[in-house]
């Protein structure tokens, strides 16, 4: 207990202590020199910083030697110390800041100080940070003036005082600018030529939920976004032009949307000014507005679609068969899916079949399955759609095109809830709900004998009629916006708006292909669009220049025509071209030919 504890300095050898202190000065980016003798030169103490030789040249015998045009300021400072060595009244004499260029032309800022430690003197040469870069012009003028006139110590002191005043005014101007940005609530940042952040306003710090610790780091660490958006920002940084802001979605939780504008720095051509505006609220509002007009995958908020949504909710509560009527392209399968996923069967499968695209034998096999060897190519037992959909829903699209023999089998499924595979005699019970759709007038088909009346009454327990797009034009902007959002996500194109003149054309067109045609038109326009807005010139030609003879408006009465009149009108409009007439009606060529025969229409016109 009587032993005294040595201090840290006493515990180390003088050599180790000197090495430790020299290492500390190196970490602080400071060169340490000690004067040898009362009139000797300053000699390096410890490690020489990496920048010393690049800026001041190699030391000679560890002495401070600055040859040529370099180190003039430092030499003058040391000479001034030597000149007034006898009246060295203070402990520390500061040189004030000055600048030097290295061999590569890179600018450095320094400050020196001489310390009097008892009978010895120490010289500290410290490399200053990047804060002095903005004062380079003022400092350069001061140094050039000092070199030209070789002023005495008193003149140097006056210049130093003047420089301090200028620095103070510059700092005051900078503070005024920052306060102005804060008062205006502007979120701004400065990026240097290396893409590193050198300034961030307080509003930007708050908006981006970050701190000033990001200064000196890359801008993309501040703005985490998708690769496509990062490339767009890099392109704007290379060629800033103001103009429309870039909209970027930050990959944060919760997600934030920013409108970013990039400007060139007015004084430094390699710097960029970034201005941010938070547009999250606008995007959230747009999303809410979009959701208001959505029901499952359906889009629209006009009165007729609101009635459709109510009907979907009503029929989803029961397990009855549903018939969905409407023209081709109105979205009948979407209605069927909405019914299924709103019903108690939503955990079961939903299987769709297009009855118009299959032959009689294939349709029977696809719907009800087949036994191995029941026909050529039946290599194994195969369940049909009804078996596969057990516990769920089967959607039969274009049920009006089902052949007569398949209609009988389908009627048994609806009546007895059982199916019989092709090649088998024993029926199997199935638990499925049937939703059918057609663009035909099935009542007229019953009168002509092409559709069974008892089957019609079985499938038409509940019915939903989908209006054509020309009868719900108020939904066109909403639908177009929804399709444009799908295009952005699938194509990766930054097209986010439709110009008023283009929207006017969309509203004026009659849409014989209904919603399906509108979706195709938006995709067509987005592919050819060169900017962020779809213009009238980007739309398909039939929408930009509707035909003057036989206008599309002539198709408006189709919904009120009987089927034979529709087919005759389509053939007339297509000039006898059956393939074009089938396209206008939205049916396959095979179905078109079969219905021509059923309706007794002359089928001898050339293609």
């Amino acid at each position: 207990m009587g032993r005294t504890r040595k201090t840290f300095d006493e515990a180390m050898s003088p050599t180790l202590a000197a090495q430790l202190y020299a290492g500390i000065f190196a970490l602080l980016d400071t060169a340490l020199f000690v004067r040898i003798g009362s009139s000797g030169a300053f000699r390096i103490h410890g490690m020489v910083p990496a920048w010393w030789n690049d800026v001041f040249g190699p030391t000679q015998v560890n002495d401070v030697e600055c040859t040529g045009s370099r180190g003039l300021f430092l030499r003058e400072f040391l000479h001034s110390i030597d000149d007034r060595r006898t009246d060295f009244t203070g402990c520390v004499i500061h040189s004030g800041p000055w600048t030097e260029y290295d061999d590569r032309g890179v600018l450095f800022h320094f400050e020196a100080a001489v310390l009097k430690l008892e009978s010895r003197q120490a010289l500290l040469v410290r490399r200053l940070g990047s804060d002095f870069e903005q004062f380079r012009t003022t400092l350069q003028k001061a140094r050039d003036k000092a070199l030209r006139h070789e002023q005495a110590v008193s003149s140097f002191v006056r210049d130093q005082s003047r420089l301090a005043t200028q620095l103070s005014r510059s700092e005051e101007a900078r503070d005024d600018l920052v306060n102005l940005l804060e008062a205006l609530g502007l979120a701004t940042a400065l990026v240097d030529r290396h893409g590193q952040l050198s300034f961030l306003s307080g509003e930007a710090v708050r908006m981006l939920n970050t701190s000033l610790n990001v200064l000196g780091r890359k801008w993309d660490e501040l703005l985490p976004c998708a690769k496509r958006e990062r490339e767009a920002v890099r392109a704007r940084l290379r060629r800033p032009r103001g103009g429309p802001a870039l909209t970027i979605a930050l990959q944060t939780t919760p997600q934030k949307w920013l409108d970013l504008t990039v400007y060139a720095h007015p004084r430094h051509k390699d710097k960029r000014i970034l201005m941010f505006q938070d547009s999250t609220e606008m995007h959230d509002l747009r999303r809410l507005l979009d959701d208001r007009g959505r029901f499952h995958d359906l889009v629209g908020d006009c009165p007729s679609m609101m009635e459709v949504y109510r009907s979907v909710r009503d029929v989803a509560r029961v397990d009855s068969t549903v018939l969905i009527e409407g023209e081709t392209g109105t979205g009948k399968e979407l209605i069927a899916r909405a019914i299924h996923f709103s019903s108690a069967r939503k955990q079961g499968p939903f299987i769709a079949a297009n009855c118009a695209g299959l032959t009689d034998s294939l349709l029977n096999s696809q719907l009800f399955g087949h036994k191995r060897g029941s026909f050529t190519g039946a290599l194994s037992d195969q369940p049909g759609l009804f078996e596969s959909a057990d516990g769920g829903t089967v959607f039969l699209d274009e049920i009006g095109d089902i052949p007569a023999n398949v209609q009988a089998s389908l009627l048994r499924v609806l009546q007895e809830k059982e199916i019989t595979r092709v090649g088998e005699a024993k029926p199997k019970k199935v638990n499925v709900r049937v939703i059918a759709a057609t663009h035909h007038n099935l009542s007229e088909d019953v009168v002509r004998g092409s559709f069974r009346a008892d089957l019609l009454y079985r499938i038409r327990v509940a019915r939903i009629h989908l209006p054509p797009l020309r009868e719900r034009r108020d939904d066109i902007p909403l639908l177009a916006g929804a399709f444009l959002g799908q295009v952005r996500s699938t194509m990766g194109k930054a097209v986010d708006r439709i110009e008023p003149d283009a929207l006017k054309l969309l509203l004026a067109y009659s849409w014989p292909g209904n919603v399906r045609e509108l979706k195709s038109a938006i995709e067509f326009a987005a592919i050819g669009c060169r900017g962020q807005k779809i213009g009238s010139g980007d739309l398909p030609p039939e929408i930009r220049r509707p035909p003057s003879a036989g206008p599309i408006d002539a198709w408006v009465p189709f919904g009120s025509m009987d089927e034979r009149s529709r087919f005759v009108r389509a053939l007339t409009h297509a000039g006898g071209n059956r393939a074009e007439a089938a396209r206008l009606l939205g049916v396959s060529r095979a179905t078109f030919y079969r219905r021509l025969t059923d309706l007794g229409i002359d089928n001898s016109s050339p293609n």
Side-chain angles (χ1 to χ4, degrees), residues 532-549:
Q532 290 183 292
K533 299 179 182 179
I534 290 178
S536 58
D538 299 320
L539 296 175
E542 65 271 13
I543 299 177
R544 300 196 309 265
R545 298 183 297 273
S548 56

Side-chain angles (χ1 to χ4, degrees), residues 19 30 84 96 142 165 181 301 310 319 329 334 366 402 455 466 477 493 534 551 560 572:
Q19 292 176 351
T30 300
R84 62 176 190 171
T165 302
L181 293 176
D301 60 0
R310 283 192 290 271
D319 211 28
L334 294 180
Q366 185 180 26
I402 288 184
L455 178 59
L466 268 178
K493 298 197 68 172
I534 290 178
S560 59
T572 302

Side-chain angles (χ1 to χ4, degrees), residues 178 180-191 197-215 219 221-224 250 256 258-261 273-278:
V178 171
L180 179 61
L181 293 176
E182 292 293 332
L184 295 176
L186 297 178
T188 58
L190 286 180
V191 176
L197 293 161
S198 58
F199 172 78
L200 201 62
S201 70
E203 182 62 24
V205 170
R206 289 188 291 272
M207 180 182 297
L208 300 173
N209 192 26
T210 184
S211 68
L212 293 178
N213 293 332
V214 300
L215 295 181
W219 64 264
E221 296 184 40
L222 182 70
L223 304 174
L250 299 185
K256 184 183 289 290
L258 293 180
D259 288 342
L260 171 63
T261 308
I273 301 173
L274 278 60
M275 297 194 69
F276 309 101
Q277 185 173 359
D278 191 345

